[in-house]
Amino acid sequence: ALKNAGYKVAANYGHNEEAANNFKKETGIEVFKFDIADFNACHEGVKAVEASMGGPVDVLVNNAGITRD
């Protein structure tokens, strides 16, 4: 919905590179791998997103979660 509304959209992933690449192919949304549990990795990850997208992050949707069933 954000992409369709005209926003530049990027997504983060932590582990499943195959799923991330499939998501990128299906949506055209760029993906970035970094560990959200690591402050420095997040700092560097956001810098990579900003460099790739051509500017600062305006909107952040935090949808991280861990399920251990």
Side-chain angles (χ1 to χ4, degrees):
L2 291 170
K3 183 179 174 186
N4 291 338
Y7 287 91
K8 294 179 186 174
V9 179
N12 162 259
Y13 71 101
H15 301 290
N16 191 333
E17 195 158 336
E18 181 180 354
N21 287 329
N22 287 337
F23 172 82
K24 180 180 176 179
K25 287 177 190 173
E26 291 173 11
T27 64
I29 293 172
E30 190 67 38
V31 295
F32 296 84
K33 183 177 183 178
F34 55 90
D35 181 359
I36 62 161
D38 179 324
F39 177 84
N40 291 326
C42 289
H43 181 74
E44 293 303 314
V46 170
K47 284 177 25 179
V49 170
E50 290 176 335
S52 177
M53 304 302 282
V57 173
D58 292 324
V59 177
L60 172 66
V61 177
N62 185 358
N63 192 30
I66 298 172
T67 302
R68 298 193 199 293
D69 292 341

